[in-house]
Amino acid sequence: MNKPLLAALATLVITGAGVAPAVAAAPAPSAAAGDAAAPARDTAAAPAARAVTFAGTVALSNCSGSVVRFPASEDNDPALVMSNGHCLESGFPAPGEVVVDRASSRTFGLLNASGTRVGTLRANKIAYATMTDTDVALYQLTTTYAQIRSSYGISALTLNDTRPAAGTAITVVSGYWKRTYACAIDGFAYRLKEGDWTWKDSIRYTAACDTIGGTSGSPVLDTTTGKVVAVNNTGNEDGQRCTVNNPCEVDASGNVTVRQGINYAQQTYQIPACFGLDNKLDLSRAGCVLPKP
């Protein structure tokens, strides 16, 4: 995983994988291309990419994150911050563990478009967090979307509720490092296994997104729509097989593939179906597939 930053600095190893997904180390320029070529795109007909900024991203004590809303969220709903499950202040959730409605007073540094910290947001609870099937944490804030926009002129990022396609141009935006990584979705891992954790249908980046420790929890934006399609969480640092900070891909037949230097994210299109009126979590809603406690 992109290790949480404190752990990464302690070992002087920082990569773009999260805890076992990693958190960031000293910034290093994004790089290269993936080992599997993304489908060719018709650049003449492709929509123009939107300018990607830091507006709406946040810095955690050890990771990155973003203020997010769902397609049906309203301005007076309590705002949410999304990061990785492995970035929780209490440490990594165990395999099979799901955190719901746990009190939290964690703070987040809110960034504007240029990456300047303009304010501090505070949570009152962890609405949902897990490292099972996915690697995500959603904090509920003490402020609404309207209050954040009124105070800072910043709007939340919207989670897309449809699955992205291979070849989609994306940008990983790290509020911790105030740095972006542009690349494309190279493909999808049926299962991504790292240590004791397993994630489903993970996004594999082309090599240009060479994320580092501290980038864990960064929103992954579709650069055409500006919507969030995933949350950055891990990468294979050393070429090891299925160990912490060295995730491996496992296909439907059980075949294992190791891609050293390649990084991954967890899709987020499934999340909106699990939240209803007033941004309230409801894991029993039709279409909600997130793991339950």
Side-chain angles (χ1 to χ4, degrees), residues 163-258:
R163 188 177 186 272
T168 298
I170 55 174
T171 303
V172 181
V173 186
S174 171
Y176 188 94
W177 287 117
K178 300 177 180 61
R179 169 171 182 194
T180 62
Y181 301 78
C183 61
I185 295 177
D186 185 52
F188 302 88
Y190 174 74
R191 296 290 184 268
L192 190 66
K193 181 172 175 57
E194 180 171 343
D196 295 330
W197 294 273
T198 300
W199 304 301
K200 296 179 177 178
D201 200 21
S202 303
I203 286 176
R204 178 177 65 246
Y205 305 142
T206 54
C209 283
D210 56 342
T211 50
I212 58 177
T215 62
S216 286
S218 299
V220 180
L221 305 183
D222 179 324
T223 53
T224 298
T225 66
K227 293 183 177 180
V228 179
V229 296
V231 58
N232 178 66
N233 84 308
T234 196
N236 187 293
E237 300 177 14
D238 307 313
Q240 295 178 25
R241 177 184 169 114
C242 313
T243 63
V244 171
N245 301 318
N246 291 283
C248 62
E249 299 183 23
V250 183
D251 69 17
S253 299
N255 300 306
V256 174
T257 301
V258 173

Side-chain angles (χ1 to χ4, degrees), residues 33-178:
D35 33 333
R41 295 171 69 97
D42 182 352
T43 53
R50 295 192 178 194
V52 173
T53 74
F54 294 98
T57 62
V58 300
L60 285 68
S61 57
N62 60 346
C63 289
S64 299
S66 56
V67 181
V68 296
R69 65 185 299 151
F70 309 125
S73 294
E74 298 181 350
D75 286 349
N76 62 352
D77 288 342
L80 300 170
V81 161
M82 182 177 71
S83 188
N84 285 146
H86 78 260
C87 293
L88 290 182
E89 60 270 44
S90 55
F92 306 151
E97 181 181 1
V98 176
V99 176
V100 171
D101 291 338
R102 177 187 293 176
S104 173
S105 58
R106 194 166 195 180
T107 57
F108 312 90
L110 178 66
L111 306 186
N112 64 13
S114 63
T116 299
R117 180 171 177 152
V118 293
T120 299
L121 304 176
R122 183 176 295 275
N124 55 24
K125 69 177 180 180
I126 300 166
Y128 183 87
T130 192
M131 285 178 65
T132 299
D133 294 354
T134 185
D135 183 7
V136 70
L138 290 154
Y139 289 85
Q140 180 177 293
L141 302 183
T142 58
T143 44
T144 66
Y145 297 116
Q147 289 169 331
I148 293 172
R149 189 168 58 249
S150 175
S151 297
Y152 307 109
I154 294 172
S155 297
L157 302 175
T158 299
L159 266 63
N160 201 341
D161 57 4
T162 58
R163 188 177 186 272
T168 298
I170 55 174
T171 303
V172 181
V173 186
S174 171
Y176 188 94
W177 287 117
K178 300 177 180 61

